[in-house]
Amino acid sequence: MIIFRKSIPRRTFLRGVGGMVALPLLDAMIPALARAQEAKPPTRLGFVYVPNGQQMNHFTPTVEGTSFELPQILQPLAPYRDQLLVLSGLDSNQALGLADEAGGQHPRASASYLTGVHVVVRNIKTGLEEQRAGVSVDQVAARKLEKYTQLGSLELGIEPSELLCDGGCAYTNTICWRNATTPLPMINQPRAVFERLFGTADTTDPAAVMSRIKKRRSILDFVSADIARLYGDLGVNDRLRVNQYLDSIRDVERRIQMAEEQSDRELPEVRKPAGIPSTFMEHVKLMFDMQVLAYQTDITRIATLQMGHEMGNQ
């Protein structure tokens, strides 16, 4: 058998009746040696956090096995029943408070959700607030999968971080931690999410996206050339700082390269959101749409959504 690395361009169109119709993705559009990788859908991971508990009798099936009836809250998932697993018995004991701890039950719940770490909101001996958790599981997955995408992960929220909190604000405002002392901010502005995915372009139109990529590449080339000229005149300490800066530059270069390689991907036509919708339901739906869009375009494969804060207004 002879295999040629040839394929029909993915942007092939059928011409006729005065217009053009885009073909769906066909096997003939994928080079033969790449089909094994293309055929397998990417591994994705998403977490949704709903604070302050659930009314579990409307959430958990009454029997084990596969013949259970979907309870009220899970009824919308009926079309996907054959792809659904409902798990119980996953209590996070790390969220429980200890006898000598003062308060912090709500902040501790959200902080331990993905980290599995028992956090201390306020040190009993010193009276000072602490900010130490652990690496959240979404970030463990992101470190494995980020080499395939422009963004390692996407952190979404509904409520702003400016809300008042009774101690442990870092624990309340996020469920994602890069490491024990670095909480990741949850983005609650749909417009900011769109710009993180597609830059400052107002649309996902391929021409606008490609223009942004080229502009970023041009700016990066200019910065890199300046650094190269500067490097020889620096001392040891400054070179260490510049090397750290170059690491971040190289990550941006990697993301630009990924964007260029993916620039021929068919994107759904989406306009940049104007702002936060007026109702909670519309806001939540739009944030889920942003998450789906990130998955569709393979800009990231890891996403989290914090539906609200412990002790939040909603």
Side-chain angles (χ1 to χ4, degrees), residues 10-248:
R10 289 182 66 176
R11 286 184 170 273
T12 298
F13 291 91
L14 299 179
R15 291 175 173 82
V17 291
M20 295 189 297
V21 179
L23 285 172
L25 180 63
L26 306 176
D27 285 344
M29 295 178 179
I30 305 172
L33 295 180
R35 285 179 189 167
Q37 292 89 346
E38 289 284 340
K40 185 178 179 180
T43 298
R44 301 188 179 105
L45 181 64
F47 292 97
V48 179
Y49 182 78
V50 182
N52 301 315
Q54 293 280 1
Q55 192 168 349
M56 296 307 293
N57 59 315
H58 292 305
F59 195 102
T60 309
T62 56
V63 297
E64 297 182 359
T66 59
S67 59
F68 61 86
E69 299 235 351
L70 286 175
Q72 178 184 348
I73 292 178
L74 298 185
Q75 283 295 330
L77 296 175
Y80 313 100
R81 183 190 177 93
D82 61 340
Q83 304 174 49
L84 179 67
L85 288 176
V86 182
L87 305 180
S88 58
L90 297 178
D91 293 347
S92 177
N93 292 328
Q94 295 293 348
L96 299 176
L98 302 179
D100 59 348
E101 287 184 319
Q105 300 292 353
H106 284 280
R108 188 178 296 109
S110 50
S112 67
Y113 175 56
L114 297 182
T115 66
V117 171
H118 179 90
V119 302
V120 177
V121 175
R122 186 175 291 107
N123 189 300
I124 297 295
K125 295 180 180 178
T126 65
L128 299 176
E129 286 192 15
E130 296 190 0
Q131 180 176 298
R132 177 174 291 275
V135 181
S136 52
V137 68
D138 63 301
Q139 294 305 298
V140 174
R143 291 172 187 175
K144 293 290 186 181
L145 298 178
E146 64 184 358
K147 61 185 177 183
Y148 302 113
T149 58
Q150 296 177 50
L151 295 179
S153 60
L154 185 65
E155 295 77 38
L156 309 177
I158 300 300
E159 293 187 295
S161 59
E162 295 81 14
L163 290 175
L164 295 176
C165 55
D166 182 21
C169 295
Y171 302 141
T172 303
N173 289 334
T174 185
I175 57 175
C176 303
W177 291 72
R178 189 178 305 282
N179 55 48
T181 57
T182 309
L184 296 174
M186 314 298 285
I187 308 173
N188 78 310
Q189 295 272 354
R191 186 182 186 89
V193 177
F194 185 93
E195 290 181 351
R196 188 171 186 206
L197 297 177
F198 302 106
T200 55
D202 290 330
T203 175
T204 56
D205 176 70
V209 173
M210 198 62 200
S211 175
R212 175 183 61 86
I213 292 172
K214 289 181 177 178
K215 184 177 180 180
R216 292 178 66 194
R217 169 69 72 185
S218 176
I219 293 172
L220 199 60
D221 289 344
F222 180 81
V223 171
S224 299
D226 268 5
I227 290 176
R229 287 192 295 269
L230 175 67
Y231 196 78
D233 298 328
L234 299 178
V236 175
N237 290 337
D238 281 341
R239 287 191 179 190
L240 289 174
R241 294 189 186 95
V242 170
N243 283 335
Q244 291 175 345
Y245 177 70
L246 287 174
D247 286 341
S248 63

